[in-house]
Amino acid sequence: MRRGVARIAEAASAKNPDLVIIPVGITYFDPLYSFSDVLIQFGQPITAIQYFQHNETAHKLDRQKKLVNDIGQRLEELTLHLSQDHYDDLYSRVKFLEQNAPTTDSLLEDFKRLKKWIKDCEADPNYGKQLEQSMTEQIKKKTFPALA
């Protein structure tokens, strides 16, 4: 995310002090196919004016960076975010898990499950490998007891 959003928010909040920024997370469960499931989540509003109440230009860049970081952090909570460190490995594992795990009746629950898998895989690279092996065995047996 770039500082342009902060500059726009600053200019708009000067004209409208009640301006809020609503983070919106959009998760496509199968982005390569049309009409696949989509989860849209709205985050807590961010009051823009709180970042720009002061007129000192010395701190303007810091305030813009803070707003951009806060928006980014809120968006990460609302989307499936993979760290750059292990992106390719994480992406392939999460894609495998998502395609092969049984779905629930709730896209939000499926999203939370994927979020947890990503977090656990980032914390321990062996976790993703073990989960994938376990799921492969369960696929062969057609049972999924450990995937809740």
Side-chain angles (χ1 to χ4, degrees):
M1 182 175 302
R2 303 283 183 204
R3 282 195 341 259
V5 70
R7 288 193 295 268
I8 293 168
E10 183 175 18
S13 67
K15 294 178 183 176
N16 179 5
D18 296 328
L19 176 76
V20 293
I21 299 166
I22 309 287
V24 178
I26 301 173
T27 302
Y28 296 91
F29 282 85
D30 203 344
L32 298 178
Y33 297 99
S34 299
F35 307 108
S36 65
D37 291 333
V38 177
L39 177 65
I40 300 173
Q41 298 183 88
F42 297 91
Q44 293 296 316
I46 299 170
T47 307
I49 194 71
Q50 71 184 4
Y51 295 88
F52 306 112
Q53 291 174 0
H54 309 293
N55 287 327
E56 305 109 31
T57 55
H59 301 292
K60 184 176 185 175
L61 184 60
D62 291 337
R63 290 193 307 266
Q64 288 177 347
K65 285 181 181 178
K66 173 87 169 109
L67 176 58
V68 169
N69 288 339
D70 288 354
I71 292 171
Q73 190 173 25
R74 301 262 180 105
L75 287 174
E76 279 186 24
E77 295 168 5
L78 300 170
T79 58
L80 297 175
H81 178 76
L82 303 177
S83 73
Q84 290 299 108
D85 298 340
H86 308 286
Y87 181 85
D88 291 334
D89 185 49
L90 277 174
Y91 179 80
S92 63
R93 290 202 190 287
V94 169
K95 191 69 180 160
F96 174 84
L97 295 171
E98 190 236 339
Q99 287 176 340
N100 291 291
T103 57
T104 67
D105 290 337
S106 165
L107 289 178
L108 183 57
E109 291 305 314
D110 292 343
F111 171 83
K112 288 177 182 177
R113 180 177 54 187
L114 286 170
K115 220 34 193 173
K116 181 183 179 316
W117 285 343
I118 291 169
K119 182 180 175 188
D120 292 344
C121 287
E122 286 180 330
D124 178 8
N126 289 325
Y127 173 81
K129 201 177 295 184
Q130 292 167 352
L131 188 57
E132 188 174 332
Q133 289 171 346
S134 171
M135 186 177 288
T136 301
E137 291 171 17
Q138 292 172 13
I139 290 169
K140 290 176 185 174
K141 296 177 187 175
K142 297 187 178 3
T143 62
F144 295 94
L147 296 178

Short mmCIF file of all heavy atoms in Angstrom, two decimals, residues 110-139:
data_model
loop_
_atom_site.label_atom_id
_atom_site.label_comp_id
_atom_site.label_asym_id
_atom_site.label_seq_id
_atom_site.Cartn_x
_atom_site.Cartn_y
_atom_site.Cartn_z
N ASP A 110 -14.72 -21.10 6.85
CA ASP A 110 -13.67 -21.59 5.94
C ASP A 110 -12.50 -20.61 5.91
O ASP A 110 -11.34 -21.00 5.92
CB ASP A 110 -14.22 -21.80 4.52
CG ASP A 110 -15.22 -22.94 4.45
OD1 ASP A 110 -15.25 -23.78 5.38
OD2 ASP A 110 -15.97 -22.99 3.46
N PHE A 111 -12.81 -19.32 5.87
CA PHE A 111 -11.78 -18.27 5.89
C PHE A 111 -10.95 -18.35 7.17
O PHE A 111 -9.72 -18.32 7.12
CB PHE A 111 -12.45 -16.89 5.76
CG PHE A 111 -11.52 -15.74 5.98
CD1 PHE A 111 -10.72 -15.28 4.94
CD2 PHE A 111 -11.43 -15.12 7.21
CE1 PHE A 111 -9.86 -14.21 5.13
CE2 PHE A 111 -10.58 -14.06 7.41
CZ PHE A 111 -9.79 -13.59 6.37
N LYS A 112 -11.62 -18.48 8.30
CA LYS A 112 -10.91 -18.57 9.58
C LYS A 112 -9.99 -19.79 9.63
O LYS A 112 -8.88 -19.73 10.16
CB LYS A 112 -11.90 -18.60 10.75
CG LYS A 112 -12.59 -17.29 11.00
CD LYS A 112 -13.61 -17.41 12.12
CE LYS A 112 -14.35 -16.12 12.35
NZ LYS A 112 -15.39 -16.26 13.39
N ARG A 113 -10.46 -20.88 9.08
CA ARG A 113 -9.66 -22.10 9.05
C ARG A 113 -8.40 -21.89 8.19
O ARG A 113 -7.29 -22.23 8.60
CB ARG A 113 -10.49 -23.27 8.53
CG ARG A 113 -9.70 -24.59 8.48
CD ARG A 113 -10.55 -25.74 8.04
NE ARG A 113 -11.20 -25.44 6.77
CZ ARG A 113 -12.10 -26.21 6.21
NH1 ARG A 113 -12.49 -27.32 6.80
NH2 ARG A 113 -12.65 -25.90 5.05
N LEU A 114 -8.59 -21.30 7.01
CA LEU A 114 -7.44 -21.01 6.15
C LEU A 114 -6.48 -20.05 6.82
O LEU A 114 -5.26 -20.20 6.73
CB LEU A 114 -7.92 -20.44 4.81
CG LEU A 114 -8.54 -21.42 3.84
CD1 LEU A 114 -9.19 -20.69 2.67
CD2 LEU A 114 -7.52 -22.41 3.35
N LYS A 115 -7.00 -19.03 7.49
CA LYS A 115 -6.18 -18.06 8.21
C LYS A 115 -5.32 -18.76 9.26
O LYS A 115 -4.14 -18.46 9.41
CB LYS A 115 -7.13 -17.09 8.87
CG LYS A 115 -7.00 -15.68 9.00
CD LYS A 115 -6.37 -14.86 8.01
CE LYS A 115 -6.16 -13.54 8.69
NZ LYS A 115 -5.42 -12.63 7.92
N LYS A 116 -5.95 -19.70 9.99
CA LYS A 116 -5.22 -20.44 11.02
C LYS A 116 -4.13 -21.31 10.39
O LYS A 116 -3.01 -21.36 10.90
CB LYS A 116 -6.18 -21.30 11.83
CG LYS A 116 -5.51 -22.08 12.94
CD LYS A 116 -6.49 -22.98 13.67
CE LYS A 116 -5.85 -23.78 14.77
NZ LYS A 116 -4.57 -24.41 14.48
N TRP A 117 -4.45 -21.97 9.28
CA TRP A 117 -3.44 -22.79 8.61
C TRP A 117 -2.25 -21.94 8.18
O TRP A 117 -1.11 -22.35 8.35
CB TRP A 117 -4.04 -23.47 7.39
CG TRP A 117 -4.94 -24.62 7.71
CD1 TRP A 117 -5.05 -25.31 8.87
CD2 TRP A 117 -5.88 -25.22 6.82
NE1 TRP A 117 -5.98 -26.30 8.77
CE2 TRP A 117 -6.51 -26.26 7.52
CE3 TRP A 117 -6.25 -24.97 5.52
CZ2 TRP A 117 -7.49 -27.06 6.95
CZ3 TRP A 117 -7.23 -25.77 4.94
CH2 TRP A 117 -7.84 -26.81 5.65
N ILE A 118 -2.52 -20.78 7.62
CA ILE A 118 -1.43 -19.90 7.18
C ILE A 118 -0.57 -19.49 8.36
O ILE A 118 0.66 -19.56 8.31
CB ILE A 118 -2.00 -18.66 6.45
CG1 ILE A 118 -2.60 -19.07 5.12
CG2 ILE A 118 -0.90 -17.60 6.25
CD1 ILE A 118 -3.42 -17.99 4.45
N LYS A 119 -1.22 -19.08 9.43
CA LYS A 119 -0.48 -18.66 10.64
C LYS A 119 0.38 -19.81 11.17
O LYS A 119 1.56 -19.64 11.49
CB LYS A 119 -1.46 -18.19 11.71
CG LYS A 119 -0.81 -17.69 12.96
CD LYS A 119 -1.85 -17.25 13.97
CE LYS A 119 -1.20 -16.87 15.27
NZ LYS A 119 -2.16 -16.61 16.32
N ASP A 120 -0.21 -20.99 11.26
CA ASP A 120 0.52 -22.15 11.78
C ASP A 120 1.66 -22.56 10.85
O ASP A 120 2.74 -22.94 11.31
CB ASP A 120 -0.43 -23.33 12.00
CG ASP A 120 -1.42 -23.07 13.13
OD1 ASP A 120 -1.19 -22.14 13.94
OD2 ASP A 120 -2.44 -23.79 13.20
N CYS A 121 1.43 -22.48 9.54
CA CYS A 121 2.48 -22.84 8.57
C CYS A 121 3.63 -21.84 8.62
O CYS A 121 4.79 -22.21 8.47
CB CYS A 121 1.92 -22.91 7.16
SG CYS A 121 0.88 -24.35 6.85
N GLU A 122 3.32 -20.57 8.81
CA GLU A 122 4.37 -19.55 8.91
C GLU A 122 5.18 -19.73 10.19
O GLU A 122 6.40 -19.53 10.19
CB GLU A 122 3.78 -18.14 8.85
CG GLU A 122 3.32 -17.76 7.47
CD GLU A 122 2.73 -16.37 7.39
OE1 GLU A 122 2.15 -15.88 8.39
OE2 GLU A 122 2.83 -15.75 6.33
N ALA A 123 4.51 -20.12 11.26
CA ALA A 123 5.20 -20.30 12.54
C ALA A 123 6.09 -21.54 12.51
O ALA A 123 7.17 -21.56 13.11
CB ALA A 123 4.17 -20.41 13.68
N ASP A 124 5.63 -22.58 11.82
CA ASP A 124 6.38 -23.84 11.78
C ASP A 124 6.25 -24.45 10.38
O ASP A 124 5.22 -25.04 10.07
CB ASP A 124 5.83 -24.80 12.84
CG ASP A 124 6.53 -26.15 12.83
OD1 ASP A 124 7.54 -26.32 12.11
OD2 ASP A 124 6.05 -27.06 13.54
N PRO A 125 7.27 -24.29 9.55
CA PRO A 125 7.20 -24.83 8.18
C PRO A 125 6.87 -26.32 8.12
O PRO A 125 6.27 -26.79 7.16
CB PRO A 125 8.59 -24.55 7.61
CG PRO A 125 9.11 -23.41 8.41
CD PRO A 125 8.51 -23.58 9.79
N ASN A 126 7.25 -27.08 9.13
CA ASN A 126 6.94 -28.51 9.14
C ASN A 126 5.46 -28.79 9.35
O ASN A 126 4.95 -29.83 8.95
CB ASN A 126 7.76 -29.23 10.22
CG ASN A 126 9.22 -29.31 9.84
OD1 ASN A 126 9.55 -29.45 8.67
ND2 ASN A 126 10.09 -29.18 10.82
N TYR A 127 4.76 -27.85 10.00
CA TYR A 127 3.34 -28.02 10.26
C TYR A 127 2.57 -28.20 8.94
O TYR A 127 1.75 -29.10 8.80
CB TYR A 127 2.77 -26.83 11.03
CG TYR A 127 1.27 -26.88 11.19
CD1 TYR A 127 0.69 -27.66 12.17
CD2 TYR A 127 0.42 -26.17 10.33
CE1 TYR A 127 -0.69 -27.73 12.30
CE2 TYR A 127 -0.95 -26.23 10.46
CZ TYR A 127 -1.50 -27.01 11.44
OH TYR A 127 -2.86 -27.08 11.57
N GLY A 128 2.85 -27.33 7.96
CA GLY A 128 2.16 -27.41 6.68
C GLY A 128 2.43 -28.72 5.98
O GLY A 128 1.54 -29.34 5.40
N LYS A 129 3.67 -29.16 6.05
CA LYS A 129 4.05 -30.43 5.42
C LYS A 129 3.31 -31.59 6.09
O LYS A 129 2.76 -32.47 5.43
CB LYS A 129 5.56 -30.62 5.57
CG LYS A 129 6.18 -31.58 4.60
CD LYS A 129 7.69 -31.66 4.77
CE LYS A 129 8.31 -30.32 4.42
NZ LYS A 129 9.78 -30.33 4.47
N GLN A 130 3.28 -31.57 7.43
CA GLN A 130 2.60 -32.64 8.17
C GLN A 130 1.09 -32.63 7.90
O GLN A 130 0.48 -33.68 7.73
CB GLN A 130 2.87 -32.48 9.67
CG GLN A 130 4.31 -32.74 10.05
CD GLN A 130 4.61 -32.26 11.47
OE1 GLN A 130 3.80 -31.62 12.12
NE2 GLN A 130 5.81 -32.58 11.94
N LEU A 131 0.51 -31.43 7.87
CA LEU A 131 -0.92 -31.33 7.62
C LEU A 131 -1.26 -31.83 6.21
O LEU A 131 -2.24 -32.54 6.01
CB LEU A 131 -1.39 -29.88 7.80
CG LEU A 131 -2.89 -29.63 7.76
CD1 LEU A 131 -3.63 -30.46 8.80
CD2 LEU A 131 -3.18 -28.15 7.97
N GLU A 132 -0.42 -31.49 5.26
CA GLU A 132 -0.64 -31.94 3.88
C GLU A 132 -0.54 -33.47 3.79
O GLU A 132 -1.36 -34.12 3.15
CB GLU A 132 0.38 -31.28 2.95
CG GLU A 132 0.11 -31.53 1.49
CD GLU A 132 1.04 -30.75 0.59
OE1 GLU A 132 1.52 -29.67 0.98
OE2 GLU A 132 1.29 -31.24 -0.52
N GLN A 133 0.44 -34.06 4.47
CA GLN A 133 0.58 -35.52 4.47
C GLN A 133 -0.62 -36.17 5.14
O GLN A 133 -1.16 -37.16 4.64
CB GLN A 133 1.87 -35.93 5.18
CG GLN A 133 3.11 -35.59 4.39
CD GLN A 133 4.39 -35.79 5.20
OE1 GLN A 133 4.36 -35.93 6.43
NE2 GLN A 133 5.52 -35.78 4.52
N SER A 134 -1.03 -35.61 6.27
CA SER A 134 -2.19 -36.14 6.99
C SER A 134 -3.45 -36.06 6.11
O SER A 134 -4.23 -37.00 6.04
CB SER A 134 -2.39 -35.36 8.28
OG SER A 134 -3.61 -35.71 8.88
N MET A 135 -3.60 -34.94 5.42
CA MET A 135 -4.78 -34.78 4.58
C MET A 135 -4.74 -35.74 3.40
O MET A 135 -5.77 -36.30 3.02
CB MET A 135 -4.89 -33.35 4.08
CG MET A 135 -6.18 -33.10 3.32
SD MET A 135 -6.36 -31.41 2.80
CE MET A 135 -6.70 -30.63 4.35
N THR A 136 -3.58 -35.97 2.83
CA THR A 136 -3.45 -36.91 1.72
C THR A 136 -3.87 -38.30 2.16
O THR A 136 -4.60 -39.00 1.44
CB THR A 136 -1.99 -36.93 1.19
OG1 THR A 136 -1.64 -35.61 0.77
CG2 THR A 136 -1.84 -37.88 0.03
N GLU A 137 -3.45 -38.71 3.36
CA GLU A 137 -3.87 -40.01 3.89
C GLU A 137 -5.37 -40.04 4.11
O GLU A 137 -6.03 -41.04 3.82
CB GLU A 137 -3.14 -40.29 5.20
CG GLU A 137 -1.65 -40.55 5.03
CD GLU A 137 -0.91 -40.61 6.35
OE1 GLU A 137 -1.57 -40.76 7.41
OE2 GLU A 137 0.32 -40.49 6.33
N GLN A 138 -5.93 -38.95 4.63
CA GLN A 138 -7.37 -38.89 4.88
C GLN A 138 -8.15 -38.92 3.57
O GLN A 138 -9.24 -39.50 3.51
CB GLN A 138 -7.71 -37.65 5.70
CG GLN A 138 -7.17 -37.73 7.11
CD GLN A 138 -7.34 -36.43 7.87
OE1 GLN A 138 -8.05 -35.54 7.44
NE2 GLN A 138 -6.67 -36.33 9.01
N ILE A 139 -7.60 -38.31 2.53
CA ILE A 139 -8.27 -38.34 1.22
C ILE A 139 -8.34 -39.78 0.73
O ILE A 139 -9.38 -40.22 0.23
CB ILE A 139 -7.53 -37.44 0.20
CG1 ILE A 139 -7.73 -35.97 0.57
CG2 ILE A 139 -7.99 -37.71 -1.22
CD1 ILE A 139 -6.85 -35.02 -0.21
#
